[in-house]
Amino acid sequence: MGDNQKTVHLIIERQDLPDSKPYTEEFLIPWHLGMNVVSALMDIQKNPVTKEGKVTKPVVWECNCLEEVCGACAMLINGVPRQACSSLVDSLTQPRRLAPLSKFPIVRDLMVDRQKMFDNLKKSRLGLRSIQRLIWGRDRGCHGHSRKKYIPCPAA
Amino acid sequence: MDGKENPFQIHREMGDWMTENVTIQRYNKKLQDTDGKLAELQERWKRIGISDPSLHANQTVLFTRQLWNMLELARVITQGALRRDESRGGHFKPDFPERDDENWLKTTKASWTPDGPSFSYDEVDTSLIQPRARRYDVDNTKKADAGQAAKEAK
């Protein structure tokens, strides 16, 4: 480290099975422009070797939209829950610590089971109507249509 | 599956080659080279070493299986583009800057064979709207309407 080539130091909390013991592994990854946590994890997939030079299994994590919308890549980054796609490596202090979200059961490494959250979302019955109420206010429906009963807006 | 190749590395190379050569601007020579590269990647795919032996939530195995299909589809896209010597829609071949309705107003179809994709073509239904040149520097809608009206008058 420190030579001409800039490197990124990652300390990752890992766990092989939902009920196995967690352990940490450290990685040194060559830096590149515009690097975010997702692309750093992708670099580990291409060359799954730890800081000590030990060949290991690629880190498991989830991601989907890559533009801070879907939330699939949420994890603890330097202790703060945030999305890996919008976490630019340059804006984090070295070493960068990655850990799974702490309020969900762990599936493997940084991948957690978020079923509880989706079940709660269903229970809250947050539907189109309540979202519309949030956006357009209580009395007026979208495009001015009545919303006394739940009638989908014909213009939508 | 205990060779030296890495599926994520092969995927990156495929993506880089496809983005460089098989997007908007296309040259036949580069398309040919890309197809050769994809064939090479397919050979290398057979020598992949799965870096993750785990039986639980194994993303590497899943990805490797999908990668083969990506490579097959990439060859369909590249070979399909190589056959079409014209510029149409968003796809531009500088060596063939004009649209060629006489030869290429048709839909490319590919079917799978063990030796790579086999191509056939479907006619395009133009019975409702006659094809006209896609030009943005002149208003050619009126002209087309006039042509249509004259046709109906007959």
Side-chain angles (χ1 to χ4, degrees):
Chain A
M1 212 186 142
D3 298 316
N4 286 331
Q5 181 122 45
K6 246 171 109 178
T7 53
V8 175
H9 185 189
L10 285 180
I11 303 176
I12 302 177
E13 197 174 307
R14 305 193 62 174
Q15 186 168 327
D16 291 341
L17 294 167
D19 51 0
S20 66
K21 242 184 98 184
Y23 57 97
T24 55
E25 267 180 354
E26 303 192 21
F27 297 88
L28 287 179
I29 307 152
W31 178 89
H32 61 79
L33 190 68
M35 199 174 193
N36 61 7
V37 171
V38 169
S39 69
L41 289 167
M42 284 175 167
D43 288 344
I44 294 178
Q45 287 183 321
K46 287 189 212 106
N47 183 29
V49 176
T50 65
K51 190 181 152 197
E52 293 80 23
K54 192 187 101 192
V55 177
T56 184
K57 303 174 284 277
V59 178
V60 172
W61 86 99
E62 284 186 306
C63 64
N64 187 22
C65 75
L66 304 180
E67 51 181 9
E68 207 183 20
V69 177
C70 72
C73 65
M75 57 182 73
L76 294 182
I77 298 170
N78 282 347
V80 181
R82 53 184 296 190
Q83 295 185 47
C85 59
S86 59
S87 301
L88 295 174
V89 162
D90 286 346
S91 67
L92 303 166
T93 50
Q94 288 255 39
R96 288 93 177 165
R97 287 173 189 277
L98 305 182
L101 289 177
S102 55
K103 307 288 184 199
F104 297 96
I106 288 168
V107 176
R108 186 177 167 185
D109 291 345
L110 303 171
M111 184 187 189
V112 293
D113 179 4
R114 297 181 297 153
Q115 189 59 43
K116 191 169 69 179
M117 183 182 82
F118 297 120
D119 289 346
N120 284 339
L121 269 176
K122 275 186 213 157
K123 259 190 253 164
S124 73
R125 302 184 69 81
L126 252 178
L128 186 61
R129 193 178 177 191
S130 43
I131 292 168
Q132 283 178 343
R133 187 174 291 150
L134 282 172
I135 298 172
W136 288 293
R138 184 168 292 272
D139 300 321
R140 268 188 52 239
C142 92
H143 301 98
H145 298 291
S146 163
R147 34 195 346 294
K148 276 179 184 147
K149 282 188 216 156
Y150 178 59
I151 304 164
C153 167
Chain B
M1 286 288 152
D2 50 5
K4 288 226 182 312
E5 296 288 347
N6 178 307
F8 302 101
Q9 181 59 38
I10 292 177
H11 177 253
R12 167 45 65 98
E13 284 179 40
M14 177 188 74
D16 285 347
W17 274 75
M18 293 300 283
T19 307
E20 182 65 32
N21 302 319
V22 200
T23 41
I24 294 171
Q25 188 162 262
R26 295 165 168 192
Y27 293 93
N28 281 348
K29 173 80 180 65
K30 289 185 176 181
L31 291 173
Q32 234 145 21
D33 292 349
T34 306
D35 193 54
K37 177 73 184 178
L38 291 169
E40 178 211 308
L41 292 177
Q42 283 185 315
E43 273 312 303
R44 281 169 57 191
W45 185 92
K46 293 169 186 159
R47 298 194 299 274
I48 281 178
I50 297 286
S51 49
D52 188 349
S54 166
L55 293 175
H56 173 72
N58 191 322
Q59 292 178 330
T60 309
V61 170
L62 211 69
F63 186 82
T64 304
R65 285 172 62 94
Q66 289 169 347
L67 178 63
W68 178 260
N69 298 332
M70 292 184 221
L71 287 165
E72 295 256 35
L73 257 181
R75 290 198 79 176
V76 167
I77 295 165
T78 309
Q79 289 182 21
L82 185 55
R83 285 155 174 263
R84 198 177 269 272
D85 281 337
E86 61 155 357
S87 294
R88 182 178 297 273
H91 297 144
F92 180 60
K93 279 194 180 180
D95 299 333
F96 306 91
E98 295 299 322
R99 194 174 80 190
D100 180 1
D101 282 347
E102 203 170 306
N103 294 310
W104 289 106
L105 182 56
K106 46 192 178 186
T107 304
T108 305
K109 296 191 295 180
S111 44
W112 186 88
T113 77
D115 313 312
S118 135
F119 288 91
S120 57
Y121 294 93
D122 253 1
E123 289 305 310
V124 177
D125 180 4
T126 56
S127 59
L128 295 174
I129 300 173
Q130 286 300 308
R132 54 177 185 257
R134 182 190 280 221
R135 291 182 63 181
Y136 300 101
D137 53 340
V138 289
D139 181 7
N140 62 6
T141 49
K142 278 179 195 142
K143 215 171 159 187
D145 289 347
Q148 196 72 20
K151 214 173 171 188
E152 277 163 18
K154 273 183 204 167

